């Protein structure tokens, strides 16, 4: 069906033909390339790589291929088994490893799997490094270890304990304040590893946990992307159980969506807004999100006397800008929270702990807390163009058309008007311009998108 090779890893659907789908040969080839890249860039002999996976049906099979291939290169493997993306990111430096591989296709459906690649800091490898890995895979330039020098294999079963303890040790997490509230929480973990990690964290925080789809068997009961149209079950259960809130995570637990006590979605964009509101009240510094994330984060940061910066889309770009600006908090509008005091990666577990601390200290219901933030509505459209049209030239024309407004060209063209914004990005794979808008009403956001489509057509 599909095999997508990118600088951040490789993903595809299980089965089918080599180099068209994610087959065992593709898994071995790409793992070999990553292991070889590590060997080429580390000035030492004994390398160690941490491996962890989500609960996908194909996970155990892919895990066997990956760990055996690394051993075949002479690299030692620490296998965390069922894990989460942020847990693997935390464990790479914790175990003094040289890199990590997370086996997850994030919010993609069950037939997908992927290899996400981490450097020795437990952060996603950057574009330059990813390009080197892709070149090694393309050339199949591998040199496997002789029999006396095969890598060792070790399993660890304490990664969640370590990750959660690190969260509880954070000064900004007030476990006692949360315990005093005795929150009743419904958890939808889409039958993946969040069904293990999130309830464990909540129990440590003294919450009464009601599990929904928390069996880590990889059979996703609904589309695993945590969007409104997929979350009817948890919204109903929160109301039925008279719970204080609902928590939704995707299969690899780097995206966090919340449901209020009335069974209404808090809004994925507002997970980061609420956590940043809490942190920036107590830690002066900058907040960072990408250009397609809600303006609400900028509003909250500025109201608290903090700076806000926007990066190009993509977690690696957010992290790079966060380091440059020494940001207190950052993330993406898809419910991804990055808290550098723990690690530079989107982490639903630390997001839960920080949000519950904020909720407890504010002594409000979830809906009342949400009402304290500015309400924005987003629109997403696209305009399909013929292959002969120069998309870059079109975007330059749009930039010139609106040069009197606040315009960013960090990633495509983003035009900030006084009461709304539009972000135009070209697709890397097809002649399409993606059009993201945000305004004070859905109608206004959609109208702005249509206006931009008309303007682009007039410039062709």
């Amino acid at each position: 069906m599909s095999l997508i090779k990118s600088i951040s890893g490789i993903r595809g659907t299980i089965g089918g033909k080599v180099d068209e789908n994610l087959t065992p040969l593709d898994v071995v080839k790409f793992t070999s390339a990553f292991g070889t890249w590590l060997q080429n860039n580390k000035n030492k002999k004994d390398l160690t790589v941490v491996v962890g996976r989500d609960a996908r049906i194909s996970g155990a099979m892919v895990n066997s291929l990956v760990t055996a291939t690394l051993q075949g290169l002479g690299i030692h493997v620490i296998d965390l088994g069922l894990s989460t993306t942020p847990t693997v990111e935390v464990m790479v430096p914790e175990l003094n490893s040289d890199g990590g591989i997370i086996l997850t296709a994030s919010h993609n459906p069950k037939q997908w799997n992927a290899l996400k690649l981490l450097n020795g800091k437990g952060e996603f490898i950057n574009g330059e490094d990813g390009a080197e890995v892709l070149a090694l895979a393309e050339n199949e330039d591998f040199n496997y270890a002789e029999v006396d020098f095969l890598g060792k294999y070790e399993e660890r079963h304490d990664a969640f304990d370590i990750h959660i303890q690190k969260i509880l040790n954070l000064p900004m997490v007030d476990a006692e304040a949360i315990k005093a509230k005795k929150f009743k929480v419904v958890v939808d973990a889409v039958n993946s590893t969040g069904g293990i990690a999130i309830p464990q964290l909540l129990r440590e925080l003294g919450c009464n946990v009601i599990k929904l789809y928390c069996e880590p068997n990889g059979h996703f009961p609904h589309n695993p992307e945590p969007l409104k149209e997929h979350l009817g079950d948890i919204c109903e259960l929160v109301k039925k159980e008279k719970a204080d809130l609902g928590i939704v995570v995707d299969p690899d637990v780097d995206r966090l969506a919340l449901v209020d006590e009335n069974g209404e979605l808090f809004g994925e964009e507002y997970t980061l807004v609420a956590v940043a509101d809490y942190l920036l009240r107590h830690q002066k510094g900058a907040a960072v999100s990408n250009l397609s994330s809600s303006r609400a984060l900028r509003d909250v940061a500025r109201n608290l006397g903090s700076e806000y910066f926007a990066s190009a889309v993509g977690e690696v770009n957010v992290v790079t800008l966060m380091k440059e600006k020494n940001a207190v908090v950052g993330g993406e509008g898809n419910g991804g929270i990055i808290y550098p005091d723990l690690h530079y990666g989107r982490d639903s577990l630390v997001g839960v702990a920080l949000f519950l601390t904020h909720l407890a200290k504010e002594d409000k219901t979830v809906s009342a807390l949400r009402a304290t933030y500015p309400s924005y509505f987003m629109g997403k459209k696209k305009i399909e163009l013929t292959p002969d049209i120069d998309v870059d030239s079109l975007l330059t024309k749009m930039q010139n058309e609106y040069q009197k407004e606040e315009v960013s060209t960090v990633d495509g063209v983003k035009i900030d008007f006084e009461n709304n914004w539009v972000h135009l990005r070209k697709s890397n794979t097809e002649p399409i311009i993606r059009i993201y808008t945000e305004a004070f009403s859905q109608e206004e956001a959609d109208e702005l998108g249509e206006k931009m489509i008309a303007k682009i057509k007039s410039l062709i």
Side-chain angles (χ1 to χ4, degrees), residues 248-266:
V248 184
V249 291
D250 63 338
D252 70 325
V253 202
D254 61 358
R255 289 174 65 173
L256 172 63
L258 302 164
V259 179
D260 75 16
E261 74 283 1
N262 303 313
E264 298 292 329
L265 285 176
F266 193 75

Side-chain angles (χ1 to χ4, degrees), residues 235-256:
C235 292
E236 286 302 316
L237 191 56
V238 166
K239 286 190 288 186
K240 183 183 168 189
E241 292 286 349
K242 295 185 169 53
D244 295 294
L245 74 154
I247 288 173
V248 184
V249 291
D250 63 338
D252 70 325
V253 202
D254 61 358
R255 289 174 65 173
L256 172 63

Side-chain angles (χ1 to χ4, degrees), residues 290-408:
N290 68 41
L291 284 160
S292 286
S293 296
S294 176
R295 187 183 271 188
L297 180 62
R298 185 196 74 173
D299 293 353
V300 165
R302 288 180 179 176
N303 285 344
L304 292 168
S306 292
E307 288 186 288
Y308 166 77
F309 300 96
S311 78
V313 173
E315 183 172 333
V316 171
N317 297 317
V318 175
V319 166
T320 301
L321 189 59
M322 285 179 71
K323 289 178 177 179
E324 190 184 309
K325 302 298 182 184
N326 198 22
V328 167
V329 64
E332 297 186 286
N334 59 12
I337 289 167
I338 302 171
Y339 186 46
D341 284 13
L342 183 62
H343 68 116
Y344 277 106
R346 291 181 299 166
D347 188 332
S348 292
L349 282 86
V350 79
V352 165
L354 292 168
F355 180 82
L356 289 179
T357 300
H358 187 33
L359 190 65
K361 288 178 179 292
E362 286 295 293
D363 196 27
K364 288 184 171 85
T365 62
V366 175
S367 63
L369 181 64
R370 173 65 181 81
T372 65
Y373 302 123
S375 265
Y376 289 106
F377 296 81
M378 296 189 102
K380 293 182 181 179
K381 295 182 184 293
K382 63 183 179 182
I383 179 168
E384 298 193 16
L385 307 166
T386 54
D388 56 303
I389 290 174
D390 185 339
V391 179
D392 290 318
S393 170
L394 255 185
L395 290 176
T396 301
K397 286 179 183 175
M398 289 294 285
Q399 178 189 341
N400 293 335
E401 281 285 317
Y402 294 97
Q403 58 186 307
K404 290 182 180 174
E405 306 295 340
E406 188 182 329
V407 177
S408 167

Side-chain angles (χ1 to χ4, degrees), residues 27 143 150 215 234 250 278 291 307 333 339 363 416 434:
V27 172
N143 187 17
L150 296 173
E215 192 62 42
I234 187 169
D250 63 338
Y278 166 60
L291 284 160
E307 288 186 288
Y339 186 46
D363 196 27
D416 265 295
R434 301 191 187 281

Side-chain angles (χ1 to χ4, degrees), residues 407-425:
V407 177
S408 167
T409 55
V410 168
D411 182 7
V413 175
K414 183 174 183 181
I415 307 157
D416 265 295
F417 302 101
E418 187 178 352
N419 295 318
N420 50 41
W421 58 256
V422 60
H423 186 198
L424 310 170
R425 296 180 72 227

